[in-house]
Amino acid sequence: MNQNIPIQFSNGISVAIKREDLIHPIVSGNKFRKLKYNLLEAINQKKDTIVTFGGAFSNHIAAVAYAGQQNGLKTIGVIRGEELKDQNDLNPTLKFAKSCGMQFEFVSREVYRLKNEESFLKHLIDSFGDFYLIPEGGTNSLAVKGCEEILTSQDASFDFICCAVGTGGTISGIVNSAKPNQKILGFPALKGDFLQDEIRIFVKNNNWELITKYHFGGYGKVSEDLISFINTFYTTTKIPLDPIYTGKMLYGVLDLIESNYFPAQSKILVIHTGGLQGIKGMNETLSRKNLPILNVNV
Ligand SMILES: *Cc1c(COP(=O)(O)O)cnc(C)c1O
């Protein structure tokens, strides 16, 4: 569903938002798209267990836990951060995943970095037997195929399509299904130059670009300015944004409009990729640090 953002922009620019956050009450946004064909493949291969990776606040971990339960698959989450191991003190994301039956394997950041090595995979096979592996963030070619279904034929009239970028699967799907005359702008939520190459694995077209200056210090990092932007945006539009991805992307898009990045009369479509489950955990962290919290109702 596309919805016009009720803000008056200069130069006749208009912004619509695709509410992918509303496609499912729990597996919201792009994680639903990314899991669709992977779940079918796991079932096709007659696997009864899914293993995947993520941080403690990961939307992907929450989505896999829930989708696995719905499809009768066991789920194992390899979680970055050994210090989170206390099962009586899990954050809201992990508490939810556990309630869906996900089993955790907490590993140190050092070990987590080695998660794609042969020796670590062997350790997982020894511990959990045969399984279907979904990479961190859920990005693989089946995930990209699912994300190709985000745009529909009705979206062909937009000049620019903007989305948040984590591992690059979502933007790859969007690039693959966009028209050649449309420009796709990705807003990475993390620092690092590796993303261009990741995306090139999945796309052939060149009508896309990464706008790398709106990561707010890196993955999971927020500033008071960002929190206040998300709160004001919610008051003005009634559209909730998450602080890790969509908040940073929209902050960037509105900032670029103000600095005349877009030509007059541009029609911009921004993708709401979901992620709202993370707000509760972020607010707990912000409260603990005595910082302003997100006042969005989700
Ligand atoms: C995971 C996620 C992204 C990033 O998607 P990638 O395919 O990893 O680039 C963007 N927005 C939200 C809300 C997410 O949860």
Side-chain angles (χ1 to χ4, degrees), residues 30-31 34 59 139 164-170 242 245 273-275:
N30 64 347
K31 299 303 182 283
K34 294 171 87 167
N59 299 322
T139 290
V165 177
T167 56
T170 304
D242 84 291
Y245 292 105
T273 37

Side-chain angles (χ1 to χ4, degrees), residues 1 5 12 16 62 66 72 130 133 138 145 153 161 176 182 188 213 232:
M1 180 192 90
I5 292 185
Y66 180 83
D130 191 28
L133 187 88
K145 178 176 167 185
S153 53
I161 299 160
N176 287 345
Q182 296 182 305
K213 61 176 177 180
T232 308

Side-chain angles (χ1 to χ4, degrees), residues 7-8 28 30 67 77 95 128 155 181 189 192 199 266 284 292:
I7 297 178
Q8 191 73 40
S28 85
N30 64 347
K95 218 178 273 170
F128 304 112
D155 300 322
N181 61 311
I199 295 166
S266 290
E284 283 186 3

Side-chain angles (χ1 to χ4, degrees), residues 114-126 131:
L114 306 175
K115 63 185 176 303
N116 296 329
E117 311 248 317
E118 203 64 42
S119 57
F120 191 69
L121 284 176
K122 188 171 175 309
H123 158 73
L124 290 174
I125 292 168
D126 290 345
F131 53 75

Side-chain angles (χ1 to χ4, degrees), residues 271-291:
I271 313 294
H272 195 317
T273 37
L276 301 173
Q277 68 84 26
I279 289 178
K280 214 165 144 197
M282 177 59 80
N283 274 345
E284 283 186 3
T285 307
L286 291 170
S287 304
R288 226 176 292 127
K289 296 182 185 164
N290 272 324
L291 291 168

